[in-house]
Amino acid sequence: MTTTSTEQRGRPELDVAGAAPVRHPLRLLATVGVVVLAAMLGHMLVTNRNFQWDVVASWFTAETIMRGLGMTLMLTAIAMVIGVGLGILIAVARMSGNPLLSAVASGYIWLFRAIPELVQLLFWFNLAALLPRLSVGIPFGPEFASWNTNSLITPLMAAILGLGLLEAAYMAEIVRGGLLSVDHGQVEAAKALGMGSARSLRRIVLPQAMRFIVPPTGSQVIRMVKGTSLVSVIALADLLYSVQVVYNRTFETIPLLIVACGWYLILNSILFVVQGAIERYYSRGSVGGSRPSLRELFRSRRPRNTPGSAIGEGQP
Amino acid sequence: MTSTTVAPLVTARNVRKRFGDNEVLKGVDLTVAEGEVVVIMGPSGSGKSTLLRCLNYLEEIDSGSILVGGDLIGHRVEGDRIRRLPERAIAAQRRRIGMVFQQFNLFPHMTALGNIVEAPIGVNREPRRDAERYARELLDKVGLGDKVDAYPRRLSGGQQQRVAIARALAMRPELMLFDEPTSALDPELVGEVLNVMRDLAASGMTMVVVTHETAFAREVADRAVFLDGGVVVEEGTAHEVLTRPTQERTRAFLSRMT
């Protein structure tokens, strides 16, 4: 190591602009290790005949697989819409000053999170054994309409109920966390302007809470895409069930599971990109710190110019 | 400057407020005439901010009464009984009272203009065009005509506080409350906010200001109220209280301030 004094010989002024970045020898070593492992995996994928890539290719876009994929997408979308919508309501109910609403919301979250997802699906699927008929009417009084439970609770309906109602319980906690993270001064400012609590929630608090709600919700969507595969136990033809139907017939188990894996990977890659875009949208007006790109990982990180600071942090 | 013939705009009588075991206000009286500027001063923990926040019911009072423009704040007289108002009616009462906070509390996801028109459009149902025109006028008045589309994060503390004042004024309030409006500002930014408040006072706005700025109080305020330990220790014209205080506690506080 060279010793440096503040007054360097022959240099009129010091300038760090052209400084060499810090070296990361261990990082380079780790990179080599990862590359070798990746090469081994690639070699195995190509040379191991049990993958039967020709079979994978022939089934990848087959009609039955496409229909299964469509079902998986539809279930994910419906369950998430129910989950987010109901979740917001439950979160608001839980945080409201009304003790009855708050207790009901807490009870809901407790119940649905305590029972395994698979058990809930089976329960809704077999609801007819508990309640053979469902009806609308005055409690303990006359009925206006009634249905046979078996015809109402189809496998699809059971799947939607099972996945959606459970998701609502998780989303409620995510939304509540987001709402709690918004500075209380925002609520006071809204109140002082004469806004009611509903308007203050919709226009002031929720948009700011979104920054904290979107990232975990993205994880929930990704979890849900895979979670829908549970519905194969109630014989609903999602992506997994569709490949199972095929390999039960052709015994090409591994290639068809690869087909399912491929589609799950593709779906989640798309969601990953979409989530990033949504996060950028909701960080309007706040400090935007993007993650370093792959290339930047190998350079020493220099603080980038991010002007200003977040609201409320600036002053004591 | 104070007129005694008309009923005062604000009348607080024997106001008490406790947080748990701590009684913050121990029977405070306060009257503010229309067009009057009243400063509330006192050491921290004296209850001055709490008193201000009670005036628009951000804090619920435990006993006593607060009348603003003839309305009993937070309550309604029904025959010989008094009922608490539902949230919606309290929100309606608050629309006539503007408030400026120590921490500005601008909405960070909206531009300066968006902050100002939010309540006039959403709450008062003003047409967007009218609301925006008035908002631009107010931004001009506080010297930020060029910051219409700026997000709060891009503004200095003093600029944010001036937008916050414009936001409160956009509801055309009859009373403005200021809760230590310059305490969170860097010293060189205090002046620009005080200038806006000075203009506002000159325009005849009724103002109640909690502040530590004695020079501003002496110059702009009509009356000063000195609060300590949850009671009014001394009250009078701003000049009297701030230059020739009669009470020892006021004198001690003021000597520490300057």
Side-chain angles (χ1 to χ4, degrees):
Chain A
M1 293 283 139
T2 54
T3 50
T4 43
S5 67
T6 44
E7 290 198 40
Q8 293 267 357
R9 291 149 291 129
R11 289 196 194 165
E13 57 182 284
L14 293 171
D15 187 357
V16 297
V22 177
R23 291 203 185 85
H24 296 284
L26 282 178
R27 213 180 261 186
L28 204 67
L29 196 71
T31 310
V32 171
V34 170
V35 167
V36 170
L37 283 174
M40 286 165 69
L41 183 67
H43 183 255
M44 196 264 288
L45 287 174
V46 173
T47 55
N48 189 334
R49 281 159 191 278
N50 294 333
F51 280 113
Q52 294 178 272
W53 291 107
D54 52 328
V55 179
V56 173
S58 67
W59 281 106
F60 202 73
T61 53
E63 203 201 331
T64 167
I65 303 296
M66 288 296 103
R67 257 184 280 136
L69 183 66
M71 175 61 79
T72 289
L73 284 173
M74 188 184 79
L75 269 181
T76 303
I78 295 176
M80 281 314 295
V81 167
I82 293 175
V84 171
L86 194 58
I88 291 176
L89 290 182
I90 294 169
V92 172
R94 183 154 184 207
M95 289 173 75
S96 76
N98 183 328
L100 178 69
L101 277 180
S102 177
V104 169
S106 299
Y108 181 98
I109 293 168
W110 165 77
L111 181 67
F112 279 86
R113 285 202 308 186
I115 299 168
E117 208 164 354
L118 189 54
V119 178
Q120 291 190 38
L121 277 174
L122 292 170
F123 181 84
W124 289 112
F125 186 58
N126 294 299
L127 191 66
L130 179 66
L131 306 165
R133 294 193 74 74
L134 297 176
S135 61
V136 175
I138 295 167
F140 310 108
E143 289 176 2
F144 301 140
S146 82
W147 299 271
N148 183 328
T149 303
N150 257 334
S151 61
L152 196 67
I153 304 291
T154 57
L156 179 63
M157 191 55 91
I160 288 171
L161 284 173
L163 297 172
L165 297 184
L166 174 67
E167 188 56 31
Y170 281 106
M171 282 308 303
E173 288 297 89
I174 290 173
V175 171
R176 193 169 70 100
L179 295 179
L180 285 174
S181 66
V182 176
D183 177 25
H184 189 64
Q186 295 289 312
V187 180
E188 292 204 328
K191 269 189 185 175
L193 285 166
M195 291 188 206
S197 50
R199 167 161 287 273
S200 152
L201 178 74
R202 192 164 50 82
R203 296 286 303 169
I204 308 301
V205 179
L206 208 48
Q208 293 183 61
M210 288 308 272
R211 277 180 56 217
F212 301 91
I213 294 174
V214 167
T217 304
S219 312
Q220 289 298 106
V221 177
I222 286 168
R223 208 191 56 85
M224 178 63 77
V225 170
K226 296 169 293 178
T228 53
S229 61
L230 285 178
V231 302
S232 56
V233 299
I234 55 172
L236 190 61
D238 76 317
L239 182 56
L240 178 61
Y241 189 81
S242 303
V243 304
Q244 284 175 328
V245 168
V246 176
Y247 71 60
N248 283 341
R249 186 158 43 87
T250 64
F251 300 106
E252 294 160 328
T253 311
I254 289 294
L256 276 147
L257 284 177
I258 294 285
V259 168
C261 287
W263 279 115
Y264 284 123
L265 277 172
I266 290 171
L267 290 183
N268 281 326
S269 307
I270 296 169
L271 288 172
F272 190 76
V273 175
V274 171
Q275 187 188 350
I278 296 174
E279 273 174 41
R280 275 191 297 283
Y281 174 78
Y282 278 109
S283 61
R284 271 175 316 165
S286 67
V287 183
S290 56
R291 283 184 306 173
S293 70
L294 206 57
R295 199 189 300 165
E296 276 171 303
L297 271 178
F298 290 92
R299 295 214 202 104
S300 64
R301 208 175 305 166
R302 291 225 190 95
R304 256 169 297 179
N305 258 344
T306 45
S309 63
I311 290 307
E313 299 182 343
Q315 265 79 27
Chain B
M1 248 179 269
T2 56
S3 71
T4 42
T5 45
V6 279
L9 185 63
V10 180
T11 315
R13 299 202 54 186
N14 200 21
V15 170
R16 288 176 180 274
K17 170 73 189 172
R18 63 164 63 240
F19 295 108
D21 289 339
N22 182 19
E23 189 165 38
V24 181
L25 298 176
K26 299 170 180 163
V28 173
D29 293 330
L30 178 76
T31 56
V32 182
E34 209 172 311
E36 202 179 23
V37 176
V38 174
V39 290
I40 304 176
M41 303 190 91
S44 62
S46 59
K48 53 193 191 309
S49 279
T50 306
L51 175 61
L52 193 77
R53 291 160 58 81
C54 287
L55 295 183
N56 68 349
Y57 217 66
L58 281 185
E59 302 290 354
E60 212 168 312
I61 61 175
D62 295 328
S63 67
S65 66
I66 294 173
L67 288 155
V68 175
D71 284 356
L72 187 59
I73 294 297
H75 297 84
R76 177 178 54 178
V77 182
E78 227 173 52
D80 51 358
R81 293 185 60 190
I82 293 179
R83 273 180 182 283
R84 218 201 118 169
L85 284 172
E87 198 57 44
R88 185 180 305 238
I90 295 173
Q93 289 184 330
R94 289 195 182 111
R95 278 164 216 166
R96 304 157 46 204
I97 306 171
M99 185 161 194
V100 174
F101 298 87
Q102 182 177 353
Q103 296 294 346
F104 330 134
N105 295 344
L106 288 183
F107 306 132
H109 57 304
M110 298 178 182
T111 62
L113 190 78
N115 265 277
I116 298 173
V117 299
E118 178 61 29
I121 293 174
V123 177
N124 280 357
R125 303 279 162 217
E126 285 179 36
R128 174 167 290 275
R129 228 157 41 103
D130 297 358
E132 286 189 350
R133 193 189 311 125
Y134 190 45
R136 283 171 203 276
E137 214 173 283
L138 286 169
L139 277 173
D140 273 336
K141 211 179 274 181
V142 299
L144 294 171
D146 55 334
K147 301 289 185 188
V148 170
D149 294 319
Y151 282 97
R153 192 172 66 85
R154 300 277 173 199
L155 301 173
S156 73
Q159 291 172 331
Q160 287 190 43
Q161 193 62 299
R162 285 186 280 155
V163 173
I165 292 172
R167 177 174 71 176
L169 290 175
M171 294 293 280
R172 301 170 205 267
E174 23 186 325
L175 169 68
M176 284 285 285
L177 309 176
F178 292 85
D179 188 5
E180 304 203 31
T182 57
S183 298
L185 295 175
D186 292 337
E188 77 268 23
L189 302 178
V190 169
E192 61 190 63
V193 172
L194 292 182
N195 279 336
V196 168
M197 291 171 63
R198 196 174 284 125
D199 290 348
L200 193 58
S203 75
M205 175 62 76
T206 312
M207 294 161 62
V208 181
V209 186
V210 171
T211 185
H212 291 295
E213 299 286 334
T214 29
F216 170 82
R218 214 172 292 152
E219 180 201 343
V220 176
D222 300 307
R223 276 192 310 124
V225 174
F226 183 76
L227 219 62
D228 193 7
V231 293
V232 174
V233 174
E234 186 164 1
E235 186 181 358
T237 68
H239 193 74
E240 271 172 27
V241 174
L242 297 170
T243 52
R244 290 189 304 276
T246 57
Q247 300 296 313
E248 187 46 46
R249 275 196 280 181
T250 319
R251 223 171 297 159
F253 174 75
L254 288 172
S255 68
R256 263 182 282 129
M257 290 306 296
T258 40

